[in-house]
Amino acid sequence: MLRLARENPRWGCRRIQGELARLGHGIGASTVWKILTAAGVDPAPRRGGPTWREFLTSQAEAIISCDFLHIDLVDLRRVYALIFLEHGTRRLHIAGVTAHPTAQWTTQQARNLALEVGVRLESLCFVIRDRDDKYTDSFDAVFEAEGIKTLKTAPQSPRMNAHCERVIGTLRREALDHLLLWSERHALHVLSTYAGHYNGHRPHQAREQLPPLADHHTAPLSDLKTPGRLLQTRILGGLINEYRYAA
């Protein structure tokens, strides 16, 4: 009984009583209430809904999130990249790079994304963003027009947008920290090239080591004694390598 209450925070006494009846335990709702109360388990309305982590897990296929990434150029100028990440597939989108990320620029990148994603927007229900003043009502309206609700993270709570924070860390560790970037155009080229690798080749633990754009692994070689010729593709001047067997 206590397990049912813990694992299903929205279930009331009568719902728990019904589940117990299906399991062959004929017990009254008042008895369920007494046992839960004695164990310190509040009634369903006060137990609340799912945690933020539970919400993200259950709604992953319907969520896209966004965040800004700052990049310091070789001449000490700072530019900003706006990225979007689809939670379900882990597909990364580099919306743009600019030294002056105004509200108007940010809104235009959202419009560009809507055109790029196209029909896939129909499967999305939520966009997660922080409370940066560059996200305005016009930015939210782009997604509202597609039936997507905006969810704002709490102030100074990066863990509420953990997927974007993690991919930003990946961008830094695997690319940006190892290159000298000269301009906005150069930064955009590097990020776009890496996004192609990230989406098309890089394995993801959350997807059973599949890249975002793949739906199955390469078939294993039938004869391990005579493997095919391994081809190397150099990405970003050899900073990253991709491997495939020759056809």
Side-chain angles (χ1 to χ4, degrees):
M1 184 184 305
L2 296 178
R3 177 180 175 180
L4 293 179
R6 286 194 300 268
E7 295 179 356
N8 304 278
R10 294 186 299 277
W11 284 11
C13 295
R14 294 191 179 279
R15 178 64 181 86
I16 294 175
Q17 177 202 14
E19 194 69 20
L20 289 172
R22 290 189 66 255
L23 295 172
H25 302 288
I27 184 172
S30 59
T31 303
V32 173
W33 179 84
K34 290 178 182 178
I35 294 174
L36 293 180
T37 301
V41 179
D42 290 332
R46 291 204 291 271
R47 279 187 272 137
T51 64
W52 183 253
R53 176 175 290 184
E54 291 170 342
F55 168 77
L56 293 182
T57 301
S58 63
Q59 301 290 336
E61 297 293 336
I63 294 176
I64 188 170
S65 57
C66 61
D67 205 355
F68 276 96
L69 160 67
H70 74 265
I71 304 168
D72 293 322
L73 303 179
V74 69
D75 59 2
L76 303 184
R77 288 184 298 128
R78 175 165 287 187
V79 296
Y80 300 84
L82 177 61
I83 68 170
F84 289 85
L85 186 73
E86 298 178 41
H87 282 207
T89 62
R90 295 298 197 273
R91 185 169 183 173
L92 173 64
H93 302 270
I94 306 299
V97 176
T98 181
H100 305 287
T102 63
Q104 292 79 8
W105 181 87
T106 305
T107 300
Q108 184 58 50
Q109 304 317 306
R111 295 193 185 103
N112 295 344
L113 176 80
L115 292 175
E116 176 188 346
V117 176
V119 71
R120 290 206 316 281
L121 277 182
E122 296 177 1
S123 65
L124 300 176
C125 298
F126 305 100
V127 57
I128 297 176
R129 66 168 177 82
D130 59 29
R131 297 173 182 267
D132 194 307
D133 57 10
K134 292 184 284 294
Y135 301 118
T136 61
D137 291 341
S138 298
F139 177 89
D140 294 340
V142 174
F143 295 97
E144 290 172 1
E146 303 291 340
I148 301 174
K149 181 179 179 180
T150 299
L151 299 179
K152 303 177 185 178
T153 62
Q156 299 181 351
S157 301
R159 289 188 178 182
M160 294 187 72
N161 198 3
H163 288 77
C164 263
E165 293 291 340
R166 183 169 183 174
V167 78
I168 286 174
T170 300
L171 283 166
R172 293 194 184 282
R173 289 189 300 272
E174 298 189 5
L176 299 178
D177 288 349
H178 306 282
L179 296 169
L180 295 176
L181 304 179
W182 298 91
S183 64
E184 295 175 28
R185 184 176 180 180
H186 187 202
L188 179 60
H189 169 72
V190 168
L191 289 174
S192 298
T193 301
Y194 181 83
H197 162 74
Y198 184 93
N199 293 330
H201 188 86
R202 188 182 185 276
H204 291 259
Q205 294 181 13
R207 304 194 69 242
E208 299 180 353
Q209 305 303 338
L210 282 171
L213 297 183
D215 56 7
H216 63 277
H217 289 290
T218 303
L221 294 173
S222 58
D223 186 357
L224 295 179
K225 294 182 179 180
T226 56
R229 186 164 59 93
L230 191 64
L231 299 180
Q232 176 194 34
T233 302
R234 297 164 58 87
I235 307 298
L236 295 174
L239 180 62
I240 298 170
N241 291 314
E242 295 179 356
Y243 297 93
R244 299 174 179 83
Y245 282 112

